[in-house]
Amino acid sequence: MLNNKNIRELDKPEFSTTELKKLLKLVSETVEKLFDVEGVSVLIFDPLTDELVFMVATGEKGELLEKARIRKDEGIAGFVATRKKPVIVNNVSEFPVFSPKMDELSGFKTRNILALPLMAEDKLVGVLELVNKRSGEFRAEELEHAEVFSPIIAFSLENVKRLNDIKLEKHRLDEEFHGEFELLGISEAMKSVIELVEKVAQTNATVLITGESGTGKEIVARRIHKLSARADGPFVKVSCGAIPPTLIESELFGHEKGSFTGAITTKRGKFELAHNGTIFLDEIGELPKDMQVKLLHVIQEKSFERLGGTRRLYIDVRIIAATNRDIKKEVVQGNFRDDLYFRLNVINIHLPPLRERKEDIIIFAKYFIEKFSRELKKEIKGISKDAEKILLSYDFPGNVRELENLIERAVVLADGPIITPELFPQELRYPETMAVSGTKSITLMEIEKSAIIEALKRCGGNQSGAARILGITRDKLRYRMKKYNIK
């Protein structure tokens, strides 16, 4: 018999764990003991495939069921999920919708079932099944007890899934988005961009962002996502030009186990991961022609199949694409499909290069000084007028990204509270001399790499000592060593 003490056990802190699998296991084992049944199954509803997935199944044959899938309208679990109402079946052989499929899979013999939907805010999360009462039959009283704590399980599952999604997204952003900067600017061009971004964010319109490399296209995409109704959903970035043509389909749409050599597990694609959120297709101009056709189909149908799969997955995803190419020219030359271009270019946001909005340079420079001073634990208050003049006289072919690297280098090398011209590379301070001498211009990355190698040499390869010389943390040093492939 259940009592209030038994039910309160579900409120223990261990049930708030963010490990979804562990939580489900704990809940199922507790329910199995409380109701004296042979097995408990927790099925999660997958809206992409319209299926129920056995996430946890206890009992002697339980592990054989885990990860098995059934249609949402299949069997007693499907009956409950479709009607969103609980049911007691004390003789499954006489129940018309009972399916022996899971019994055949596990070798388990089902006699009776108590099943109820797991609902969170009127949304189906899954189904809870209590299988085979050890003594007697299931009674209405037991259904009442189950209905007391089933909302707790449902909301716990929903919250854990959301929390895990947030943590995974944060980790991914930390890995992929080093060097983040704000959408800043006082130039008329940037004011227009910021205004358009705020308007577009309130819609679900597809957006194409154009502009040279380093102008901040990803920042614009993230800002649109952050200001949209999808802000709580995932933001998934795909660098189309960085993925080998042979892997692009699997990367975008996923693949089923065994669909090709090396596919040892089922993999979810980027579109699937972006469900209820935003997918950012960077370098869209690099997408192969055959994949352009498939992308067009996904935009039109809002569905796709994994590579090697037969199930159609339905998605709700906002698409933002970006390119540094002249995409209209690519269409004329036959390198990019015109129908896909028109689908992507519903709203166009063009980011002008930094050389065309020089009034924004000092704004960004001060922002980066503050950012890197905070990261490197340095007290740098600002930038001298002479240093500002040097920045304003430079065209920044690498745009904002180049300015960011330049300021980071200056902050690393600075001993005083002000960024001065001496902290900039020689080709910035003496462009005429460098041009006359014919000296080959070197990049900021080459300068940074050389500084790291020199510091490591001085310390005999000791990373902690080299980090102290450079004025950065050991983790920052190791990140840059990996970035520049310094062994």
Side-chain angles (χ1 to χ4, degrees):
M1 174 69 71
L2 295 177
N3 54 44
N4 289 336
K5 177 179 179 297
N6 296 139
I7 293 172
R8 280 198 301 272
E9 288 182 10
L10 292 173
D11 291 325
K12 288 182 178 180
E14 62 184 1
F15 283 93
S16 64
T17 175
T18 58
E19 298 175 35
L20 183 57
K21 188 80 172 180
K22 183 178 179 181
L23 171 66
L24 294 176
K25 203 77 173 177
L26 288 169
V27 170
S28 300
E29 289 172 353
T30 301
V31 170
E32 184 180 314
K33 292 176 183 177
L34 293 178
F35 285 86
D36 190 29
V37 293
E38 293 180 8
V40 173
S41 297
V42 178
L43 296 86
I44 302 296
F45 175 55
D46 182 353
L48 287 174
T49 60
D50 210 33
E51 293 175 321
L52 293 166
V53 185
F54 283 81
M55 293 296 290
V56 166
T58 68
E60 185 180 352
K61 306 287 187 178
E63 290 186 4
L64 297 174
L65 291 179
E66 292 184 3
K67 295 188 179 179
R69 291 173 172 265
I70 60 172
R71 297 191 313 274
K72 186 185 173 185
D73 60 354
E74 185 177 4
I76 293 175
F79 179 77
V80 169
T82 303
R83 296 170 70 246
K84 296 182 180 178
K85 292 182 179 180
V87 68
I88 291 176
V89 182
N90 277 314
N91 188 345
V92 297
S93 63
E94 295 180 358
F95 199 68
V97 299
F98 173 70
S99 170
K101 178 179 174 180
M102 292 300 107
D103 281 3
E104 293 170 359
L105 177 65
S106 65
F108 185 80
K109 178 64 177 176
T110 302
R111 300 189 307 274
N112 51 26
I113 287 181
L114 185 158
L116 60 163
L118 298 174
M119 308 291 295
E121 299 176 353
D122 297 324
K123 182 176 69 173
L124 179 71
V125 177
V127 173
L128 176 66
E129 286 187 332
L130 284 63
V131 182
N132 288 357
K133 185 77 175 170
R134 292 185 186 276
S135 58
E137 298 181 335
F138 287 108
R139 304 184 304 278
E141 177 187 350
E142 289 168 312
L143 176 57
E144 291 176 6
H145 286 304
E147 287 178 326
V148 169
F149 64 77
S150 64
I152 300 173
I153 300 173
F155 279 106
S156 296
L157 295 180
E158 186 69 7
N159 288 335
V160 167
K161 287 168 67 179
R162 287 176 181 173
L163 185 57
N164 281 342
D165 287 343
I166 291 170
K167 286 192 172 184
L168 285 171
E169 176 67 3
K170 182 179 183 302
H171 175 72
R172 190 190 61 76
L173 293 182
D174 290 342
E175 290 292 317
E176 293 187 5
F177 205 44
H178 178 74
E180 176 182 2
F181 58 88
E182 297 284 351
L183 188 59
L184 303 173
I186 58 172
S187 64
E188 290 303 317
M190 280 309 295
K191 285 180 181 178
S192 297
V193 167
I194 293 169
E195 183 180 350
L196 183 56
V197 163
E198 291 175 351
K199 287 182 179 179
V200 169
Q202 308 308 313
T203 73
N204 270 322
T206 303
V207 179
L208 178 63
I209 308 171
T210 55
E212 294 179 7
S213 293
T215 49
K217 295 186 287 295
E218 184 175 349
I219 303 301
V220 171
R222 290 182 184 278
R223 185 64 176 167
I224 293 171
H225 174 73
K226 186 177 180 180
L227 294 177
S228 74
R230 298 173 179 270
D232 290 335
F235 179 96
V236 178
K237 177 188 173 183
V238 182
S239 296
C240 300
I243 306 170
T246 54
L247 298 179
I248 187 70
E249 182 174 1
S250 171
E251 190 70 17
L252 289 177
F253 308 122
H255 62 252
E256 296 290 348
K257 179 179 179 180
S259 56
F260 56 87
T261 303
I264 58 176
T265 60
T266 295
K267 175 187 174 182
R268 298 170 68 190
K270 298 294 189 182
F271 270 93
E272 195 171 341
L273 294 173
H275 182 58
N276 289 328
T278 302
I279 189 166
F280 175 51
L281 301 175
D282 198 13
E283 303 174 54
I284 190 67
E286 307 288 339
L287 199 66
K289 290 291 286 290
D290 59 332
M291 290 310 302
Q292 292 178 27
V293 176
K294 293 185 179 181
L295 176 58
L296 179 64
H297 178 80
V298 171
I299 295 173
Q300 292 171 334
E301 303 297 328
K302 294 181 171 56
S303 66
F304 60 91
E305 294 176 0
R306 293 191 190 123
L307 184 62
T310 56
R311 293 197 310 271
R312 182 149 291 276
L313 307 180
Y314 294 87
I315 52 168
D316 177 12
V317 172
R318 182 188 196 157
I319 297 175
I320 301 178
T323 181
N324 57 10
R325 292 189 177 190
D326 183 342
I327 201 73
K328 290 183 180 178
K329 185 177 179 181
E330 294 293 320
V331 170
V332 172
Q333 293 177 347
N335 298 324
F336 200 85
R337 293 180 62 96
D338 57 351
D339 47 3
L340 178 59
Y341 168 69
F342 293 128
R343 283 283 185 173
L344 294 175
N345 197 40
V346 176
I347 300 291
N348 176 246
I349 298 178
H350 180 71
L351 290 176
L354 199 53
R355 62 183 174 275
E356 294 179 7
R357 46 185 175 109
K358 293 209 167 188
E359 55 264 61
D360 294 334
I361 289 176
I362 304 305
I363 298 292
F364 276 116
K366 290 180 178 179
Y367 170 77
F368 291 136
I369 289 171
E370 181 182 346
K371 173 189 173 183
F372 291 119
S373 296
R374 185 172 58 250
E375 287 184 8
L376 300 171
K377 295 181 173 56
K378 289 193 169 187
E379 295 185 6
I380 298 182
K381 307 298 183 184
I383 181 170
S384 72
K385 291 298 181 183
D386 288 340
E388 286 186 4
K389 289 179 182 177
I390 290 174
L391 294 181
L392 291 171
S393 66
Y394 183 58
D395 276 346
F396 287 100
N399 292 296
V400 181
R401 188 179 296 128
E402 184 179 5
L403 175 59
E404 179 185 22
N405 290 338
L406 181 72
I407 297 299
E408 182 180 13
R409 174 188 184 275
V411 172
V412 167
L413 298 176
D415 292 322
I418 300 295
I419 298 298
T420 57
E422 291 73 26
L423 300 172
F424 295 151
Q426 189 175 359
E427 62 265 30
L428 254 71
R429 288 181 284 148
Y430 308 109
E432 299 87 357
T433 304
M434 298 294 286
V436 170
S437 66
T439 303
K440 176 183 179 292
S441 179
I442 59 175
T443 67
L444 292 173
M445 290 190 293
E446 288 173 327
I447 294 170
E448 186 177 49
K449 181 178 179 179
S450 297
I452 292 170
I453 292 173
E454 181 61 29
L456 287 167
K457 285 180 179 178
R458 288 172 58 185
C459 295
N462 183 280
Q463 294 179 13
S464 298
R468 281 194 295 272
I469 290 174
L470 295 167
I472 60 177
T473 65
R474 188 179 177 216
D475 286 343
K476 287 278 185 184
L477 174 63
R478 296 181 73 178
Y479 168 81
R480 284 165 174 74
M481 288 175 66
K482 182 178 180 181
K483 175 180 176 182
Y484 298 126
N485 196 27
I486 299 172
K487 304 297 182 183

